Amino acid sequence: MDFKIAVLPGDGIGPEISRQGVDVMSAVCEKFGHKVDYKYAICGADAIDKVGDPFPEETYETCLWADAVLFSAVGDPKFDNNPNAKVRPEQGLLAMRKKLGLFANIRPVETFKCLIHKSPLRSELVEGADFICIRELTGGMYFGEKYQDNDKAYDTNAYTRPEIERILRVAYEYAGRRRKHLTVVDKANVLASSRLWRQIAQEMAPQYPDITTDFMYVDNAAMRMIQEPRFFDVMVTENTFGDILTDEGSVITGSMGLLPSASTGEKTPVFEPIHGSWPQAKGLDIANPLAQILSVAMLFEYFNLTEEGALIRRAVNASLDADVRTPEIQVEGGAKYGTKAVGEWIVNYINNA
């Protein structure tokens, strides 16, 4: 297969982990006989500094050219600490999602046995947890009508039937390929938008008779993820709830640096780690590249290249078993490995597999 890949390194540790993701993708493509062509583009604070726009038109055109986008991270403290800033790096993310029609965010939450001890939960609770959070990404309060003055502010949580139906179809498709259990998370006892979500999910459930559909209020879901994370198989929810729950889910595995994600929809899909730009670590060669590398596995799997994705996952697991790890997940007394060294070890594993 011939790949055209748009690479958006972004800010902070983004360029460092991006290089490892590209190197892994190149190694896998060479091994399996795929051709790959990369185009690099700017976004986030880097793009604001250079052209005044966190997602410039040229970057958008590069994304449209590509079969997939390999994205890293955006964010910079100089914007976080300025509440009056009119342009922010995160606006580039929202623009990318909206312009590419990326309405479905898929975040796997999977534990690694050798890192169970890093989880804030007891091992008997978290071991074996393996579920997917599917978050609607282009509707709700993040994109609804907004207003703010000195005395009043509001955000509008608006959803339409087509928006809800299409994300539910994605969720049912994933549940059908897994353990056939879908949990729809809402706040239907309070919010009208949630009642529409629940109504439409109840209408659609009979179309998928082999899948068990249940419903859970978001506050209960937040507690259940801590009390019994193994209960979940596929979870689907609206944008704001999904943002919060996916971050909660990510930390129960022991490290956000291990979890990738995909955003799919109407145009080019985007594959990225779930963590942020961690600007304090920029240039220190300590950032964990595994989430970025696993996002490359998700990219291959999106194109039904399962052997390629499986090889990357084996390489990542082998690196963990060999204690080739960046500092935040290294075992006590283990050797010191930086971002680049971990990436090189995984590339070498792929080359010799």
Side-chain angles (χ1 to χ4, degrees), residues 111 113 116-117 119-129 229-230:
T111 54
K113 195 164 186 177
I116 292 294
H117 66 286
S119 174
L121 301 183
R122 298 196 308 272
S123 59
E124 61 266 29
L125 291 178
V126 73
E127 189 168 1
R230 287 192 296 263

Side-chain angles (χ1 to χ4, degrees), residues 185-263:
V185 176
D186 60 33
K187 192 63 176 169
N189 57 336
V190 176
L191 301 178
S193 56
S194 281
R195 287 193 286 274
L196 183 61
W197 269 76
R198 186 169 291 212
Q199 174 190 328
I200 293 172
Q202 289 172 336
E203 292 171 1
M204 292 178 63
Q207 301 172 28
Y208 303 90
D210 61 329
I211 295 173
T212 299
T213 303
D214 52 36
F215 300 87
M216 195 175 292
Y217 295 146
V218 62
D219 41 356
N220 186 24
M223 291 188 293
R224 195 75 177 268
M225 284 174 65
I226 297 301
Q227 295 170 329
E228 192 184 358
R230 287 192 296 263
F231 169 83
F232 296 101
D233 178 24
V234 176
M235 170 194 299
V236 63
T237 192
E238 58 100 73
N239 203 343
T240 305
F241 297 159
D243 192 3
I244 297 165
L245 290 176
T246 51
D247 278 0
E248 180 190 5
S250 71
V251 298
I252 69 174
T253 67
S255 173
M256 291 182 72
L258 289 167
L259 299 180
S261 74
S263 297

Side-chain angles (χ1 to χ4, degrees), residues 16-74:
E16 297 169 66
I17 62 170
S18 178
R19 280 191 290 273
Q20 310 315 314
V22 167
D23 287 349
V24 167
M25 180 156 193
S26 296
V28 172
C29 285
E30 183 175 351
K31 190 168 195 70
F32 286 87
H34 305 304
K35 294 181 180 179
V36 58
D37 182 17
Y38 301 105
K39 278 189 181 180
Y40 287 77
I42 58 174
C43 63
D46 179 46
I48 294 173
D49 289 342
K50 290 174 179 174
V51 300
D53 185 341
F55 189 65
E57 185 65 20
E58 186 175 350
T59 297
Y60 174 54
E61 293 296 331
T62 299
C63 293
L64 291 180
W65 161 86
D67 299 308
V69 177
L70 189 60
F71 171 73
S72 296
V74 296

Side-chain angles (χ1 to χ4, degrees), residues 318-333:
S319 73
L320 292 171
D321 290 340
D323 293 335
V324 180
R325 314 180 189 188
T326 46
E328 94 285 2
I329 58 169
Q330 184 56 287
V331 297
E332 186 175 351

Side-chain angles (χ1 to χ4, degrees), residues 256-288:
M256 291 182 72
L258 289 167
L259 299 180
S261 74
S263 297
T264 66
E266 299 166 2
K267 298 175 184 175
T268 314
V270 175
F271 301 87
E272 61 182 290
I274 69 161
H275 57 69
S277 61
W278 196 15
Q280 298 84 355
K282 179 180 178 180
L284 300 181
D285 192 39
I286 61 173
N288 190 343

Side-chain angles (χ1 to χ4, degrees), residues 28-186:
V28 172
C29 285
E30 183 175 351
K31 190 168 195 70
F32 286 87
H34 305 304
K35 294 181 180 179
V36 58
D37 182 17
Y38 301 105
K39 278 189 181 180
Y40 287 77
I42 58 174
C43 63
D46 179 46
I48 294 173
D49 289 342
K50 290 174 179 174
V51 300
D53 185 341
F55 189 65
E57 185 65 20
E58 186 175 350
T59 297
Y60 174 54
E61 293 296 331
T62 299
C63 293
L64 291 180
W65 161 86
D67 299 308
V69 177
L70 189 60
F71 171 73
S72 296
V74 296
D76 190 284
K78 67 184 177 184
F79 296 96
D80 297 340
N81 298 328
N82 180 7
N84 296 316
K86 300 299 183 185
V87 182
R88 298 178 179 276
E90 293 76 14
Q91 291 171 344
L93 270 182
L94 297 181
M96 179 168 64
R97 292 167 183 170
K98 197 69 173 178
K99 295 178 80 169
L100 293 177
L102 302 173
F103 64 84
N105 179 239
I106 297 100
R107 285 196 182 186
V109 177
E110 182 181 0
T111 54
F112 293 81
K113 195 164 186 177
C114 64
L115 290 172
I116 292 294
H117 66 286
K118 290 284 188 178
S119 174
L121 301 183
R122 298 196 308 272
S123 59
E124 61 266 29
L125 291 178
V126 73
E127 189 168 1
D130 175 13
F131 60 95
I132 292 179
C133 297
I134 297 182
R135 167 190 171 192
E136 200 288 324
L137 206 56
T138 57
M141 283 194 290
Y142 288 15
F143 293 92
E145 182 183 350
K146 302 176 185 298
Y147 176 80
Q148 179 182 356
D149 60 29
N150 288 330
D151 302 305
K152 180 176 71 174
Y154 62 77
D155 300 277
T156 308
N157 195 42
Y159 272 103
T160 64
R161 174 175 286 270
E163 288 176 313
I164 299 169
E165 287 179 342
R166 67 183 182 180
I167 192 67
L168 286 172
R169 280 193 291 269
V170 171
Y172 274 114
E173 288 169 6
Y174 272 88
R177 296 196 296 266
R178 289 173 52 91
R179 301 191 301 273
K180 302 188 186 308
H181 175 202
L182 177 65
T183 302
V184 181
V185 176
D186 60 33

